[in-house]
Amino acid sequence: MTSGGDSPGMNAAIRSVVRACAYYRTECIGIYRGYQGMIEGDFVSLSARSVNNIIHKGGTILKSARSNDFRTEEGRKKAFENLQEHEIDGLVVIGGDGSFTGGVVFNSEYDFPVIGIPGTIDNDIYGTSHTLGYDTALNTAMEAIDKIRDTASSHNRLFFVEVMGRDAGFIALNAGVGAGAEEILVPEEDLGLERMLESLKKSRRSGKSSSIVVVAEGDKSGKNVYQLADYVEENMPEYEVRVSVLGHMQRGGSPSCFDRVLASRLGVKAVELIIDGKSNLMVGLRDNKVVATDLEKAIKGQHSIDKELLRVSDIMTT
């Protein structure tokens, strides 16, 4: 099943799980709408042929939904009864930390095997260098920033570009460096408004007539992207400031080759772990090898932002 926010690569992961099950002669059942579908018994039998031509599609064919019912003991009990009725022996959850938390609680109450595949564009799950959808979202954001720079240059404007990342600045930092942004604001570092102003003034003095500031939606400045724009306009009236919020376009689109390959590798490993009787684990990528991490550790651990890349970002804005 897929749960939580959608991300590019989820369909590729579904395909991988289904075909790995077919390879190992194991029946595969899809659950529509995540935990809510589990409670309502919204199940479908999946064969190798039923996942033809989905590897390149964004979103998830199994749909996704939040489930308040699953937060209750009664809801989880109904979900367990439905799994028993359909003779389901293990669960592969493709999602983020909220989805994994539900899996851990379910496992602790019913000792039901759960394996997680990290699917979130934020890349904020411990135990893997990349989550499904992150690479695609990163490239989507970078391409959008490239296009915005064309307009910024044509009109001598300063653009604030907000990207997703309420609690993690992976997209902002990497897309900002890749697109040559003049300043990058992320939740992990409180760089201060004065530093941002000084950086923009320095760029102006060096002859730049347009600039791009990439802002993660969870930036620690305490101001949203529109307030940041107003602050700069007040202090640097020579700039014509515009704001562009990329929003959910970052979660859509055809997954990159990297995400398709990663999804294929993680899906196979997830099925093999269940067949081997393992549970409460998340499959992920470390040093380009597929590894398993304790699911609770994946939820509670912190995937730290790359300090070296932050240093590189500072140098690149010179």
Side-chain angles (χ1 to χ4, degrees):
M1 74 173 193
T2 49
S3 178
D6 64 292
S7 64
M10 280 186 164
N11 279 327
I14 293 168
R15 174 182 180 271
S16 177
V17 169
V18 172
R19 294 202 167 172
C21 284
Y23 178 84
Y24 287 111
R25 300 180 185 278
T26 299
E27 186 180 2
C28 187
I29 302 293
I31 303 173
Y32 284 112
R33 297 178 295 112
Y35 290 117
Q36 191 62 33
M38 195 188 306
I39 292 170
E40 296 175 7
D42 199 357
F43 300 164
V44 61
S45 181
L46 296 173
S47 67
R49 300 285 72 81
S50 65
V51 291
N52 282 349
N53 301 319
I54 68 168
I55 193 171
H56 63 289
K57 294 180 178 179
T60 162
I61 62 166
L62 291 179
K63 310 297 183 184
S64 187
R66 309 290 180 184
S67 177
N68 290 326
D69 293 336
F70 196 76
R71 298 176 184 270
T72 67
E73 291 184 10
E74 295 80 5
R76 293 191 294 272
K77 183 173 184 291
K78 178 61 176 174
F80 178 66
E81 290 170 351
N82 284 333
L83 293 176
Q84 283 189 311
E85 182 182 339
H86 287 80
E87 298 181 333
I88 295 173
D89 304 312
L91 185 63
V92 175
V93 179
I94 307 169
D97 55 1
S99 304
F100 292 166
T101 299
V104 168
V105 172
F106 193 66
N107 173 267
S108 67
E109 290 180 346
Y110 295 101
D111 194 27
F112 196 87
V114 176
I115 300 294
I117 295 178
T120 167
I121 67 167
D122 289 338
N123 203 42
D124 58 350
I125 303 293
Y126 178 83
T128 183
S129 61
H130 291 74
T131 57
L132 294 183
Y134 169 60
D135 184 72
T136 305
L138 196 57
N139 283 284
T140 297
M142 187 184 70
E143 290 169 9
I145 295 167
D146 286 345
K147 291 177 171 65
I148 289 169
R149 185 177 289 282
D150 292 342
T151 291
S153 299
S154 298
H155 295 274
N156 294 338
R157 286 173 178 163
L158 164 63
F159 266 87
F160 280 87
V161 183
E162 184 186 88
V163 299
M164 281 187 161
R166 184 171 291 106
D167 302 307
F170 293 99
I171 293 176
L173 179 58
N174 284 269
V177 171
E182 278 66 39
E183 194 62 57
I184 303 167
L185 305 180
V186 298
E188 292 85 351
E189 295 282 322
D190 187 359
L191 302 178
L193 296 177
E194 290 308 313
R195 178 205 139 115
M196 178 186 67
L197 274 184
E198 183 53 39
S199 176
L200 292 173
K201 288 176 181 178
K202 185 178 178 181
S203 295
R204 191 78 173 178
R205 287 194 298 268
S206 71
K208 287 187 177 180
S209 59
S210 64
S211 290
I212 300 287
V213 178
V214 177
V215 185
E217 58 185 334
D219 166 55
K220 276 188 176 173
S221 66
K223 296 180 181 291
N224 65 40
V225 67
Y226 294 100
Q227 291 171 324
L228 287 170
D230 290 341
Y231 180 80
V232 171
E233 279 194 323
E234 290 169 7
N235 289 274
M236 296 184 69
E238 65 271 25
Y239 263 129
E240 187 179 353
V241 184
R242 294 289 185 271
V243 172
S244 182
V245 178
L246 300 189
H248 287 78
M249 68 176 291
Q250 295 159 90
R251 290 210 329 218
S254 181
S256 65
C257 180
F258 181 91
D259 275 330
R260 298 183 199 191
V261 173
L262 178 61
S264 300
R265 295 175 71 184
L266 298 186
V268 168
K269 185 64 173 179
V271 171
E272 290 174 343
L273 287 173
I274 284 185
I275 290 174
D276 290 342
K278 302 292 175 46
S279 180
N280 241 28
L281 297 171
M282 182 199 77
V283 291
L285 192 68
R286 287 205 301 268
D287 298 324
N288 203 33
K289 290 182 172 54
V290 176
V291 297
T293 301
D294 182 83
L295 205 50
E296 290 191 59
K297 193 171 182 180
I299 297 166
K300 295 177 181 177
Q302 185 175 4
H303 186 186
S304 300
I305 201 160
D306 189 341
K307 298 290 186 182
E308 173 64 14
L309 192 55
L310 281 171
R311 189 179 74 85
V312 169
S313 169
D314 285 343
I315 293 171
M316 290 299 101
T317 59
T318 301

